[in-house]
Every structure is written in structure tokens, then in C-alpha cells.
Amino acid sequence: MERRVFKRKIYDKILEWKRERNGETALLIKGARRVGKSTIAEEFAKNEYKSFIKIDFAKVGSDIVELFNDLNNLDFLFLQLQSLFKTTLHKRESVIILDEIQKCPQARQAIKYLVEDGRYDYIETGSLMSIRKYKRGIMIPSEETRISMFPMDYEEFLWALNNTTTFPMMRYALDNRRALGDAVHRSFMRQFRVYMLVGGMPQAVNAYIDYNDMRRVDLVKREILELYIDDLREIDESGKASRIFESIPGELTKGKLRYMVGSAIENADALNLDVIWKDLEKSLTINFSYKCTDPNVGFALHKDISYFKLYLGDTGLFVTLAFWDNNADNNELYNKLLSDKLSADLGAVYENIVAQCLRANGHSLYYYTFKADAEGKNNYEIDFLISAGSKIIPIEVKSSGYTAHKSLDEFISKFSGRIKRPIILYPKDLKNEGEVLYLPVYMVSLL
């Protein structure tokens, strides 16, 4: 399989760090495993520096690790690194990549002194899935600029397929509130469903480009999921974290107003799993959406940490995990999903892709529920809330062309003064109808 380096938007953020901080901080790129952190760091180093050294702490021997135990003589440290990696470092023109930094706590602790020395730049990459396990006994450096890396977003996915025309057309349609027309919309929906199935993990995208075979793509996604589950079992030997992770598709399909941990772990409730929730959230393999108690600008001020929903960070992985027991050797499942003819309710898949796209665009995830009657037996729910200046945008997600939206209507009636515009994301073409803007689900990438 050909190894490709995909164009990623995070490159510009790394370039901004290099120009603005000019060696005053190290850069920590955090994200889930296999999301492309090491690749983008190395590509950046090749393009933007005269030379670089990459130390992969998941692979190097103890002789390299031990170099970071003694920082009294940095001249000698740099001489050893240049000798061992056969690379000449140039003052203010070279970068040292500390890959899988969580595997070498003393190297992360050394950042403070390396940055103070000022000779070179430093880029750390790492999955924080197991950071709690490795950081015991070390001082976390304050001389770090941290950025999060997510799976490839929809535009990056299209770039990988050499498609540079879809997004400009989507933007034009949204900006001008114009329908795309049946033929174009059908084509765009099919493209987006491919993205939902393949996902944004670079290895899966690479397999799709090489083989155009969903069976091969599914095999790659299964390997990544097994890696995540193994990591979770390593940080939590009780198995609770891995069971929570594996239960997400099933729990989301039930349509509950929050994640019900008792369905995955007998006699458990969310409040007694505080450490596990923190580890899962830091891992960036999962997206948390918290209930907002007052839907107004400044959602974090009204965040109820005891009520949340869980989404997988990548919808391609979500689909594979949801249908784990199906044999991927024939492509019937994928073909039905591509043609939108699967009998199973696809609402959870649509919700997950919306969560993924909003998160990739920099939004924290919040939802809102309120009582539909005095007895409290029924509830209305707004799937997502995002801010737009001094106003908010309530979003309802529908997996079919069914356009009834009682929850949204009641929300508009209750909070009209706070709303910029209410949006329904669904599989049909763009249309304006009264106060509500109906957008094809792929346009969530523009919000």
C-alpha cells in the first residue's frame, strides 16, 4: 500500500506557532493514535527547517532514553544526538521531534530546560490515552503550546481524493441560500456517505484510495479499534474504560437523553467513574457532548458534567464498531449504507458524523433538553448547540427526509431572542422554510 502524506489544516497552525513563538515554547500535538500526528510533524520538519532529528520513544532503545536523565551538559546531549542520528543541527534552523512523548516522561520534563537553552525548536507528539500512567513523578512543563489533532475532516478527505470543487460549491450554496439541485445534491450525498463509512483516519483513507474496496478499509479500521481497546485495557485493568468505549454505538442508537453507564457496566453510575471519564476525554478517541442547563452564549458556564452523550471521534470507526459482528468479506452492508437503504436506524450514525464535524471545526459539544409537559414524562431535545457571536444556533439532526421538528419549534418559541438561526441537518437539499434553515447534512462541515 502506497504511503501518502495528506494535506492537513493543522499544518498552518504549526506554522503559526513557529513564526509567533520563535522557540519560546515547544509544540505539543496531542490526539488519538493513528490520527497522523507523527506524519505531519515530520512533513513540517522537512519543509520548514534546515535539518531535524526525530526520536520515536516507542522504538528507540534505553541508550537514547537515558540521555534525558542528565541535563547538566546540554552541549554533550546535542553532540550525542547528532552522532547517533547522523544529523547536523543548526542553531535556530533545526527542530527535534519527540515522538510518542508520553513514553519518555523525563524527555517531557526536560522541555523546560531545552526551551530555555533556545538553540532549537521542539515538537512533541503523543497520544494522551495513557498520559496519567506515564506522568507520575514528573513536572509537566509550562513551556508548551498545545494543539489537538483530529481525524481528517470532510474537506481534507476530499483533498485526498483530489476533489477541490465540492467545497466551494457548498459554500456558495450556503452563503446564497440556494438549493444545489437534485443531480448535484445526490452526488454530494453519496460522496459524504463514503466519508461516513471510510472515516478520517489516514490509514483508512489510504486504503480506500489504493483499493477502492470497503472490505480492505474495514480491515484497517478494525486494527485501529483493537489498538484503542488494548490501550484502554492497559490504562484501566478493570476493563470498564474499554466496555464504555465499545458500548457507544449501541447506547447512542437507543436515543437516550444521556449516556447510561449502567448499560455497559453493571451497578455503575457516571459519578463514580471520574478518573475513567477524564482519561477517555483526554484520549480524543471519544467526543463528549454535555448537557447545557441554560442555552445561552457561554455554554461552559451552564455545563452539567453529570449528563453527557458519547460519540466516537471518527465515524468510520463508529460504523465498524457498530457492526463489529458482520463479516466484512462481502460488501453488502457497506453497499446498503452507501445507497442509504440499510433497514437499521441510521440516526446514530448521522449524529456521530455531525458531532465529529462540529468538533473538528473547533466547537465544544453541547445539547439541551426541556420538559414537554408538567408531569415531566416527555422531553424535548435539541441535538447540538453552537455559538454565533452573541447568539446561538440550535441544531436538530435527522437521518431521513422527515421534516417535523416539534422540539425545535418549542425551543424557538421559548428562546427566540437568543437564536441567530435554527438549523435542521438532513439528507435532502437546502431549503428555507419559515424560521428554519434546512441544510444537507454534509454542510455541517461549513458551520
Side-chain angles (χ1 to χ4, degrees):
M1 187 163 64
E2 183 181 342
R3 183 182 181 273
R4 297 175 175 85
V5 177
F6 297 115
K7 181 181 177 182
R8 304 297 297 272
K9 294 176 183 177
I10 199 172
Y11 191 102
D12 291 336
K13 293 182 180 179
I14 303 173
L15 191 59
E16 182 181 330
W17 160 79
K18 181 178 186 292
R19 290 172 177 169
E20 292 187 358
R21 302 314 300 264
N22 193 31
E24 294 175 352
T25 65
L27 180 71
L28 172 62
I29 305 174
K30 56 182 182 175
R33 291 180 69 179
R34 304 289 180 89
V35 83
K37 303 181 299 296
S38 303
T39 300
I40 199 66
E42 188 169 343
E43 185 70 7
F44 185 84
K46 288 177 182 176
N47 295 340
E48 307 297 337
Y49 291 91
K50 191 172 182 178
S51 68
F52 73 95
I53 288 173
K54 178 184 175 183
I55 306 172
D56 184 348
F57 289 111
K59 295 180 180 178
V60 297
S62 58
D63 55 334
I64 301 291
V65 172
E66 288 169 2
L67 293 177
F68 293 90
N69 289 332
D70 183 3
L71 301 176
N72 289 322
N73 190 338
L74 290 180
D75 289 339
F76 187 53
L77 169 66
F78 295 136
L79 281 173
Q80 288 176 297
L81 289 176
Q82 290 174 94
S83 176
L84 290 166
F85 288 92
K86 298 179 174 57
T87 299
T88 300
L89 295 173
H90 306 273
K91 186 174 182 179
R92 301 304 316 135
E93 295 183 291
S94 296
V95 62
I96 298 176
I97 300 172
L98 305 171
D99 197 25
E100 298 292 351
I101 187 71
Q102 77 277 5
K103 299 283 187 181
C104 185
Q106 56 266 48
R108 192 173 184 204
Q109 182 169 262
I111 286 296
K112 173 180 174 63
Y113 307 101
L114 297 173
V115 168
E116 283 179 357
D117 175 74
R119 266 175 273 190
Y120 315 115
D121 282 352
Y122 301 90
I123 298 177
E124 309 162 74
T125 75
S127 164
L128 302 190
M129 175 82 81
S130 53
I131 194 67
R132 179 172 54 85
K133 173 183 175 181
Y134 289 102
K135 76 179 183 181
R136 293 190 184 100
I138 72 164
M139 181 177 65
I140 300 299
S142 59
E143 298 78 9
E144 282 180 340
T145 297
R146 303 179 188 184
I147 57 175
S148 297
M149 189 171 188
F150 299 100
M152 296 168 71
D153 69 17
Y154 186 40
E155 188 172 19
E156 291 171 331
F157 178 77
L158 292 176
W159 287 341
L161 304 183
N162 296 315
N163 179 335
T164 57
T165 60
T166 293
F167 251 70
M169 193 165 184
M170 283 166 48
R171 285 195 181 96
Y172 178 84
L174 179 59
D175 290 345
N176 294 278
R177 301 292 192 268
R178 294 190 60 174
L180 290 158
D182 288 345
V184 173
H185 169 70
R186 282 197 301 270
S187 172
F188 282 13
M189 272 304 301
R190 183 173 177 83
Q191 286 178 158
F192 192 67
R193 284 197 293 267
V194 170
Y195 175 59
M196 290 167 69
L197 292 173
V198 174
M201 304 303 287
Q203 283 180 297
V205 176
N206 205 44
Y208 174 70
I209 294 170
D210 274 346
Y211 303 111
N212 193 35
D213 180 354
M214 287 298 181
R215 181 186 65 84
R216 300 293 292 266
V217 174
D218 193 70
L219 290 173
V220 170
K221 291 190 292 176
R222 286 170 185 264
E223 290 171 359
I224 295 171
L225 284 167
E226 287 172 346
L227 181 68
Y228 286 178
I229 291 167
D230 286 345
D231 283 345
L232 288 168
R233 288 172 180 157
E234 182 179 340
I235 66 167
D236 171 42
E237 295 179 357
S238 73
K240 292 176 182 177
S242 60
R243 290 204 298 275
I244 289 168
F245 180 86
E246 293 174 88
S247 73
I248 290 173
E251 284 301 298
L252 198 57
T253 301
K254 293 175 183 176
K256 300 289 187 182
L257 296 179
R258 61 169 169 163
Y259 178 81
M260 304 298 292
V261 67
S263 298
I265 303 171
E266 188 176 354
N267 299 323
D269 63 71
L271 295 177
N272 62 23
L273 297 171
D274 184 59
V275 172
I276 289 177
W277 298 131
K278 288 178 180 176
D279 283 340
L280 288 171
E281 196 161 22
K282 285 179 181 177
S283 77
L284 297 182
T285 60
I286 291 174
N287 288 322
F288 279 68
S289 179
Y290 289 96
K291 180 181 176 181
C292 180
T293 58
D294 182 16
N296 210 339
V297 174
F299 298 130
L301 298 173
H302 311 287
K303 171 181 174 180
D304 186 343
I305 62 171
S306 63
Y307 276 73
F308 52 81
K309 292 186 177 184
L310 300 181
Y311 301 94
L312 255 64
D314 180 75
T315 304
L317 297 182
F318 180 95
V319 171
T320 295
L321 188 59
F323 299 103
W324 187 263
D325 294 331
N326 287 65
N327 191 333
D329 287 337
N330 72 58
N331 287 350
E332 182 181 1
L333 171 66
Y334 281 97
N335 289 335
K336 285 183 176 180
L337 279 166
L338 279 174
S339 60
D340 207 15
K341 293 180 179 178
L342 191 68
S343 58
D345 180 13
L346 290 181
V349 183
Y350 275 71
E351 259 193 73
N352 203 91
I353 192 67
V354 169
Q356 178 182 342
C357 291
L358 291 176
R359 193 74 183 90
N361 284 351
H363 298 289
S364 296
L365 302 180
Y366 293 95
Y367 69 101
Y368 182 69
T369 66
F370 55 108
K371 296 185 186 303
D373 50 55
E375 292 78 21
K377 294 180 180 179
N378 298 296
N379 290 277
Y380 294 126
E381 179 181 5
I382 302 300
D383 295 319
F384 297 98
L385 297 170
I386 61 175
S387 59
S390 60
K391 299 285 187 177
I392 63 172
I393 298 175
I395 298 172
E396 193 166 326
V397 182
K398 293 186 177 296
S399 59
S400 70
Y402 184 63
T403 58
H405 43 77
K406 182 65 173 174
S407 291
L408 196 58
D409 290 340
E410 293 295 327
F411 186 86
I412 294 168
S413 175
K414 192 175 178 68
F415 301 108
S416 59
R418 305 180 183 184
I419 299 171
K420 181 176 182 180
R421 65 175 180 272
I423 289 176
I424 286 182
L425 295 169
Y426 74 147
K428 302 296 184 181
D429 203 352
L430 185 152
K431 70 174 181 178
N432 279 298
E433 189 175 275
E435 298 178 273
V436 179
L437 177 61
Y438 291 81
L439 295 181
V441 65
Y442 47 77
M443 286 192 181
V444 65
S445 304
L446 302 174
L447 298 179

